[in-house]
């Protein structure tokens, strides 16, 4: 009796711990793009008393059909926000995540997993999924998928649990398109049960009455669950929605979360998880259930086709991993071994404590370096907040062109007064509009004509993105505002003349700043930049630009102070990493001119840490090593710079910018004259 009570206490402790771990790791500031348009859509639903059926947020897709499959998530999110603000949304999401992983651990335990194995497997799953735990509708898919698994597992003892599946699906289908995962799980269980009955028939054994009843009830539950999906505002149309993106090449190649896994680097925890799962299954394969085989196969294929489906595979595979680790350990140690059989004695206590401490230290390791991102509120310097304030304050009118990822935030700030060019609702826009957006974003041939086609009057863009030089040389667009990453430019037209005269920022705009440095009005530029630092004390780029002018004038000490000021601002505010990298890059030049070569090398290494793809930094570092006579290090840096220039050249070539591409390739050839790939590409361009 006492042992059973101890087991129950330990189970409760583990479940409470996994809840608190999930809650803590998901309690971070808002940093995803889509939550903003979800909130605005939720407000629209509550105020109008209807669910939108056509696009209301953009001028490019206005009136196009919109199947708002996440309308219930939006309505609930808006109500939480209206009562408790953004903090309420973050806390609600953290509670949801904690509950999801408690349910997942319960599935592991229901399947006979050892408590410690269940804890470690569930904790590992949590760390894999942590980067995806945003306030987005897919959070409900993770919750409902775990609940789906728990209901199916519980139904093996009490079939009445299956009656909950259709009720669950009514909510799921109105919250997120991931409801299809529930179908897949059901079909896998049904197929597994069918194969079990077929195997009995093959062996010549009769089906028991209880087995037949279980089969018929599972079939009925599956059909009822399918029918439940029709209880949504769009009825049968919702069934096709999750598949509309599949096969659309433009999205698969350009939108990160839809890219196939084999095209992407990283995801090391996922690969380790997959390896552990397959290894655990291998050593106890005789105990592998048919439904588990099907689920692993289907969901690993989905994960490989699009990395956003990794989360589905992890939820599905966690109970399988925990169960087979348990079976493998039982086989290796036997039930009589003290290490396995006695949980509440001293050695068992140590094992359980070690498992908890392992997850605690892993949590600290995750949170501490990213502590500025955790907490309540909005992650700073991620959205174009100041630029949106400026657009409102300056009363800029007309159609805007915006960054794809900023569309949701701009809907939040401007709807219904201003509508966006594009946002994250890719299915609404279609491939044609997305390709037009990409043409403009990358400065491809005829990008200006595309803006004319849509009647765009002003741009709000991230000028730190890699674009061809010709993009910034276009004089039909006048910069009127900029900060550390955002630029607002307005069409040079008579109706905008008063705004241009008042806010003209061409002299100080970071996009054409090098061109301005050769002019005679340097003092005017300095004055304007000093005014900028007063108006926006947290604009690090203004200090970097000031430093560049002061260095050009020979005032190295003052220039260095400006660079350090920029670095201090970025470290305090958690600004864009590339701004910090740029500050270190120019700081290296100033230190070198002062004769501090070693300090310049340290600055370059810091710049590479923040901007690992900046070609010029490797080139500069190679020159510094060369000056010190460290030939081997210099050669390594020059080769790295050449490879970087080569890649940039290929990118520009892909954009149709032949002259720009040739410039980068020639720089690469100077640094690596023996590189045959670079020389071959240059010969190919000369031949054309």
């Amino acid at each position: 009796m006492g042992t059973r009570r101890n087991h129950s206490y330990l189970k409760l402790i583990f479940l409470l711990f996994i809840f608190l771990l999930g809650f803590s790791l998901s309690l971070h500031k808002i940093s995803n793009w889509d939550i903003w348009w979800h909130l605005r859509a939720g407000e629209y639903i509550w105020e109008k008393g209807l669910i939108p059926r056509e696009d209301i947020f953009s001028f490019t897709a206005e009136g196009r059909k919109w199947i708002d499959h996440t309308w219930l998530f939006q309505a609930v999110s808006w109500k939480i926000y209206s009562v408790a603000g953004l903090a309420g949304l973050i806390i609600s999401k953290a509670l949801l995540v904690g509950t999801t992983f408690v349910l997942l651990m319960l599935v592991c335990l229901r399947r006979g997993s050892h408590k410690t194995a269940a804890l470690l497997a569930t904790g590992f799953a949590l760390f894999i999924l942590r980067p995806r735990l945003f306030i987005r509708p897919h959070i409900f898919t993770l919750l409902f998928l775990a609940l789906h698994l728990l209901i199916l597992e519980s139904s093996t003892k009490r079939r009445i649990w299956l009656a909950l599946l259709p009720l669950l699906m009514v909510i799921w289908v109105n919250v997120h398109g991931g409801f299809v995962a529930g179908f897949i799980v059901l079909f896998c269980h049904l197929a597994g049960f069918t194969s079990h009955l077929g195997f009995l028939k093959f062996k010549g054994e009769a089906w028991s009455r209880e087995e037949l009843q279980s089969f018929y009830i599972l079939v009925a539950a599956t059909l009822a669950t399918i029918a439940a999906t029709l209880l949504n505002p769009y009825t049968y149309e919702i069934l096709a929605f999750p598949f509309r993106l599949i096969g659309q090449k433009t999205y698969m190649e350009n939108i990160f979360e839809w890219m196939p896994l084999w095209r992407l680097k990283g995801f090391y925890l996922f690969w380790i998880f997959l390896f552990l799962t397959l290894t655990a299954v291998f050593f106890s394969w005789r105990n592998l259930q048919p439904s588990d085989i099907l689920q692993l196969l289907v969901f690993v294929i989905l994960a490989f086709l699009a990395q956003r489906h990794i989360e589905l595979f992890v939820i599905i595979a966690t109970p399988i991993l925990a169960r087979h680790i348990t079976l493998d350990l039982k086989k290796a140690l036997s039930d009589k071994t003290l290490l396995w059989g006695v949980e509440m004695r001293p050695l068992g206590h140590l094992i359980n404590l070690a498992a908890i401490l392992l997850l605690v230290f892993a949590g600290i390791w995750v949170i501490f370096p990213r502590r500025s991102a955790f907490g309540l509120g909005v992650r700073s310097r991620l959205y174009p907040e100041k630029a949106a304030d400026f657009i409102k304050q300056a009363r800029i009118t007309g159609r805007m062109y915006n960054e794809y990822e900023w569309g949701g935030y701009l809907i939040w700030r401007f709807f219904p007064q201003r509508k966006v060019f594009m946002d994250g609702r890719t299915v609404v826009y279609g491939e044609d509009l997305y390709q037009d957006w990409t043409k403009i974003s990358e400065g491809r041939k005829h990008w200006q004509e595309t803006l004319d086609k849509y009647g765009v009057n002003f741009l709000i863009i991230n000028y730190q993105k890699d674009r061809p030089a010709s993009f910034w040389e276009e004089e039909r667009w006048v910069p009127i505002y900029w900060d550390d990453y955002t630029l607002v430019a307005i069409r040079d037209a008579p109706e905008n003349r008063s705004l241009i005269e008042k806010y003209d920022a061409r002299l100080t705009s970071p996009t054409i700043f090098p061109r301005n440095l050769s002019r005679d009005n340097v003092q005017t530029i300095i004055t304007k930049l000093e005014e900028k630092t007063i108006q926006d004390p947290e604009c690090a780029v203004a200090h970097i630009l000031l430093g560049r002018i002061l260095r050009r004038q020979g005032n190295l000490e003052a220039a260095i102070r400006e660079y350090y000021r920029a670095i201090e601002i970025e470290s305090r505010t958690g600004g864009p990493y590339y701004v910090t990298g740029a500050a270190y890059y120019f700081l290296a030049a100033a230190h070198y001119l002062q004769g501090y070569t070693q300090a310049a090398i340290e600055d370059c290494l810091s710049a590479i840490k923040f901007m690992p793809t900046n070609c010029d930094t490797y080139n500069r570092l190679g020159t510094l090593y060369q000056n010190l006579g460290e030939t081997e290090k210099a050669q390594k840096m020059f080769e790295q710079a050449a490879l970087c220039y080569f890649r940039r050249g290929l990118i520009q070539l892909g954009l149709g910018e032949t002259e720009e591409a040739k410039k980068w390739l020639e720089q690469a050839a100077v640094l690596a004259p023996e590189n045959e790939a670079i020389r071959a590409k240059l010969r190919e361009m000369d031949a054309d």
Side-chain angles (χ1 to χ4, degrees):
M1 187 72 175
T3 304
R4 186 178 300 173
R5 186 181 296 113
N6 287 338
H7 276 266
S8 298
Y9 287 153
L10 183 63
K11 176 181 173 181
L12 287 174
I13 289 170
F14 277 11
L15 290 172
L16 178 61
F17 174 76
I18 206 69
F19 174 83
L20 293 175
L21 186 65
F23 182 88
S24 303
L25 288 178
S26 56
L27 199 67
H28 44 68
K29 297 174 184 175
I30 292 174
S31 60
N32 68 301
W33 309 115
D34 290 342
I35 181 58
W36 305 107
W37 69 259
H38 280 304
L39 283 174
R40 194 57 78 199
E43 179 191 35
Y44 180 90
I45 291 168
W46 280 103
E47 287 189 354
K48 303 292 184 182
L50 54 88
I51 298 165
R53 294 178 178 272
E54 58 184 35
D55 180 43
I56 57 174
F57 291 139
S58 77
F59 65 86
T60 51
E62 190 169 12
R64 285 195 182 187
K65 189 173 185 178
W66 177 20
I67 296 179
D68 188 9
H69 66 294
T70 60
W71 72 269
L72 186 56
F73 166 81
Q74 294 157 2
V76 171
S77 297
W78 173 255
K79 188 53 67 175
I80 293 172
Y81 172 79
S82 62
V83 172
L86 293 176
L89 277 174
I90 294 168
I91 292 171
S92 299
K93 183 259 294 186
L95 291 170
L96 205 67
V97 170
T99 303
T100 298
F101 285 91
V102 165
L103 293 173
L104 189 59
M105 186 171 171
L106 283 172
V107 177
C108 296
L109 295 172
R110 288 288 175 91
R111 300 199 67 180
S113 301
H114 187 270
K115 294 178 183 63
T116 308
L119 177 70
L120 290 173
T122 308
F124 193 15
L126 175 58
F127 282 103
I128 296 171
L129 300 186
R130 184 200 62 80
R132 289 276 297 162
L133 299 178
F134 300 125
I135 305 175
R136 285 181 62 179
H138 79 285
I139 287 290
F140 280 94
T141 282
L142 302 183
L143 173 71
F144 292 151
L145 186 56
L147 191 53
H148 222 69
L149 294 174
L150 184 60
I151 290 170
L152 285 168
E153 200 58 45
S154 301
S155 70
T156 57
K157 293 183 179 179
R158 298 189 65 185
R159 292 192 290 266
I160 191 64
W161 282 103
L162 292 174
L164 293 176
L165 291 178
L167 300 177
L168 177 64
M169 186 56 71
V170 171
I171 303 172
W172 197 350
V173 75
N174 288 287
V175 169
H176 189 233
F179 69 87
V180 174
F183 284 169
I184 295 173
V185 170
L186 265 176
F187 289 141
C188 287
H189 275 75
L190 193 58
F193 206 127
T194 304
S195 68
H196 167 69
L197 294 178
F199 185 66
L200 290 178
K201 190 75 172 178
F202 176 77
K203 291 196 302 181
E205 297 180 15
W207 297 335
S208 69
R209 183 178 178 182
E210 185 176 343
E211 284 174 329
L212 282 175
Q213 282 183 343
S214 296
F215 177 72
Y216 293 143
I217 290 172
L218 184 58
V219 170
T222 302
L223 293 174
T225 303
I226 294 172
T229 60
L230 300 177
L231 299 177
N232 71 85
Y234 309 96
T235 61
Y236 66 90
E237 291 181 284
I238 204 76
L239 296 174
F241 179 82
F243 304 99
R244 287 181 64 185
L245 278 177
I246 298 174
Q248 296 191 26
K249 188 178 178 182
T250 301
Y251 297 138
M252 300 296 112
E253 291 182 350
N254 293 283
I255 297 178
F256 179 72
E257 66 178 2
W258 284 103
M259 289 181 181
L261 193 57
W262 62 79
R263 287 183 53 190
L264 304 170
K265 294 181 180 179
F267 299 98
Y268 303 116
L269 286 180
F270 167 75
W271 291 113
I272 294 170
F273 181 86
L274 179 61
F275 173 77
L276 288 176
T277 302
L278 295 178
T279 303
V281 166
F282 174 78
F283 285 110
S284 51
W285 64 271
R286 292 180 183 277
N287 300 101
L288 190 61
Q289 298 175 1
S291 59
D292 288 346
I293 297 173
L294 291 171
Q295 287 179 106
L296 285 175
L297 183 62
V298 172
F299 283 99
V300 81
I301 290 173
L302 288 175
F304 274 82
L305 289 176
Q307 62 94 2
R308 66 174 289 160
H309 295 139
I310 284 175
E311 57 206 42
L312 301 179
F313 173 79
V314 170
I315 294 291
I316 290 295
T318 296
I320 299 172
L321 172 62
R323 177 173 179 265
H324 283 271
I325 287 176
T326 300
L327 293 170
D328 294 339
L329 287 175
K330 277 187 176 181
K331 183 179 178 181
L333 302 174
S334 83
D335 288 338
K336 295 179 181 179
T337 305
L338 180 66
L339 180 64
W340 176 258
V342 187
E343 290 180 301
M344 297 308 291
R345 292 179 186 174
L347 188 57
H349 275 309
L350 288 175
I351 295 171
N352 297 326
L353 181 61
I356 290 176
L357 288 177
L358 176 65
L359 293 175
V360 167
F361 285 126
I364 294 171
W365 178 75
V366 165
I367 292 174
F368 187 76
R370 306 168 180 85
R371 55 192 179 279
S372 63
F374 282 82
L376 306 179
V378 180
R379 191 169 174 182
S380 63
R381 301 164 76 81
L382 188 64
Y383 306 104
E385 300 171 62
K386 294 177 183 177
D389 291 339
F390 170 79
I391 290 168
K392 279 192 171 184
Q393 175 257 320
R395 297 180 180 178
I396 301 174
T397 57
R399 292 179 168 183
M400 78 171 94
Y401 171 83
N402 60 274
E403 298 290 0
Y404 166 84
E405 59 269 23
W406 288 349
Y409 179 78
L410 295 173
I411 288 170
W412 172 251
R413 291 297 304 271
F414 294 147
F415 181 80
Q417 290 80 16
R418 299 174 182 86
K419 296 191 176 184
V420 298
F421 190 99
M422 179 165 281
D423 62 272
R425 298 168 301 133
T426 45
V427 175
V428 175
Y429 294 98
E431 288 186 284
D432 56 335
L433 277 174
Y434 185 82
Q435 287 168 353
D436 280 348
W437 176 87
T438 304
K439 181 191 292 185
I440 299 166
S441 177
E442 296 178 350
R444 294 180 181 177
K445 192 175 181 180
H446 303 308
W447 68 272
Q448 174 61 61
E449 288 78 359
T450 307
L451 284 172
D452 294 340
K453 180 176 79 172
Y454 289 105
V456 170
N457 187 50
F458 68 98
L459 319 174
I460 174 169
I461 56 177
N462 184 346
Y463 68 84
Q464 298 283 2
K465 282 188 175 181
D466 193 15
R467 291 182 170 95
S470 58
F471 187 93
W472 306 116
E473 292 167 1
E474 176 55 62
E475 295 184 355
R476 279 177 281 184
W477 297 94
V478 179
I480 55 174
Y481 171 87
W482 59 270
D483 53 39
D484 280 348
Y485 48 94
T486 313
L487 178 84
V488 177
I490 197 165
R491 187 182 288 274
D492 192 357
E495 60 269 24
N496 296 325
R497 185 58 51 200
S498 60
L499 283 170
I500 292 171
E501 290 175 357
K502 186 175 182 180
Y503 299 109
D504 192 341
R506 277 175 286 197
L507 276 179
T508 57
S509 172
T511 58
I512 52 176
F513 189 74
R515 191 168 67 196
N516 293 335
L517 281 178
S518 61
R519 296 183 178 180
D520 298 328
N521 51 3
V522 172
Q523 193 54 50
T524 304
I525 297 175
I526 291 175
T527 302
K528 285 184 174 293
L529 286 173
E530 288 174 344
E531 290 173 357
K532 179 71 175 177
T533 61
I534 294 170
Q535 294 166 1
D536 186 359
E538 294 186 346
C539 183
V541 170
H543 290 280
I544 293 174
L545 298 182
L546 262 175
R548 291 176 67 181
I549 293 182
L550 293 168
R551 190 195 74 188
R552 188 182 181 88
Q553 291 181 325
N555 193 346
L556 295 178
E557 288 295 335
I560 288 171
R561 283 197 299 271
E562 295 297 334
Y563 296 142
Y564 276 126
R565 176 63 179 148
I567 293 167
E568 185 273 327
I569 289 171
E570 295 303 286
S571 64
R572 175 168 46 82
T573 60
Y577 61 89
Y578 38 77
V579 176
T580 307
Y584 275 115
Y585 173 78
F586 291 112
L587 182 62
H591 275 147
Y592 176 70
L593 290 173
Q594 284 187 321
Y596 301 134
T597 305
Q598 194 57 48
I601 288 173
E602 294 299 323
D603 295 334
C604 283
L605 292 172
S606 296
I608 289 171
K609 176 184 174 183
F610 289 98
M611 291 194 307
T613 58
N614 185 273
C615 313
D616 295 337
T617 308
Y618 292 105
N619 195 1
R620 176 168 289 174
L621 188 54
T623 303
L624 291 170
Y625 281 134
Q626 191 176 53
N627 292 342
L628 290 177
E630 299 186 35
T631 310
E632 190 174 328
K633 287 184 178 180
Q635 184 62 32
K636 185 178 178 181
M637 289 299 107
F638 286 141
E639 288 174 358
Q640 189 70 34
L643 182 60
C644 183
Y645 287 134
F646 180 58
R647 287 172 179 164
R648 291 194 71 170
L650 293 180
I651 290 170
Q652 295 303 320
L653 198 60
L655 296 176
E657 295 286 334
T658 309
E659 291 184 12
E660 186 90 0
K662 192 168 185 179
K663 182 187 76 173
W664 292 115
L665 292 173
E666 286 173 346
Q667 280 187 270
V670 170
L671 293 172
E674 297 180 2
N675 189 304
E676 183 55 35
I678 298 172
R679 290 163 58 192
K681 182 56 69 175
L682 280 170
R683 285 197 300 269
E684 181 185 321
M685 291 181 69
D686 290 337
D688 293 340

